[in-house]
Amino acid sequence: MNIKILGTGCKKCQELEKNTRIAVEELQLEAQVEKVEDIKEIMKYKVMSTPALVIDEKVVSTGKLLTVNELKSALA
């Protein structure tokens, strides 16, 4: 599983990355979590608001800080 956190480094983006890593660990998933801060890379996903969550190249959330439990649901 490949998970990307799209965001330019704002507080919400950092929190989403942290929550994602916690959810992956708690679910014991084999997943690569990557933080994407390059605006050109973010634009490739046609995301207009960050933070955004991409799982296996599919955008599943934009503009929202997901909780650990919300992330677990999205990842399960």
Side-chain angles (χ1 to χ4, degrees):
M1 181 181 289
N2 188 312
I3 303 167
K4 294 181 182 176
I5 311 301
L6 310 181
T8 55
C10 67
K11 185 164 176 51
K12 283 186 180 179
C13 300
Q14 292 169 1
E15 283 290 313
L16 182 59
E17 180 183 12
K18 184 180 113 189
N19 289 352
T20 301
R21 292 185 186 279
I22 292 168
V24 166
E25 186 178 318
E26 288 183 4
L27 291 171
Q28 298 179 346
L29 297 175
E30 284 197 30
Q32 177 184 354
V33 179
E34 177 184 351
K35 180 76 166 66
V36 178
E37 294 184 354
D38 180 17
I39 195 72
K40 289 180 182 175
E41 280 295 309
I42 293 170
M43 295 299 282
K44 289 180 184 177
Y45 291 94
K46 296 179 172 67
V47 169
M48 299 307 288
S49 60
T50 59
L53 178 69
V54 178
I55 300 174
D56 292 331
E57 296 304 310
K58 180 182 177 204
V59 178
V60 295
S61 174
T62 63
K64 184 178 179 200
L65 174 57
L66 299 174
T67 65
V68 172
N69 285 335
E70 288 172 327
L71 285 158
K72 284 180 171 181
S73 294
L75 295 169

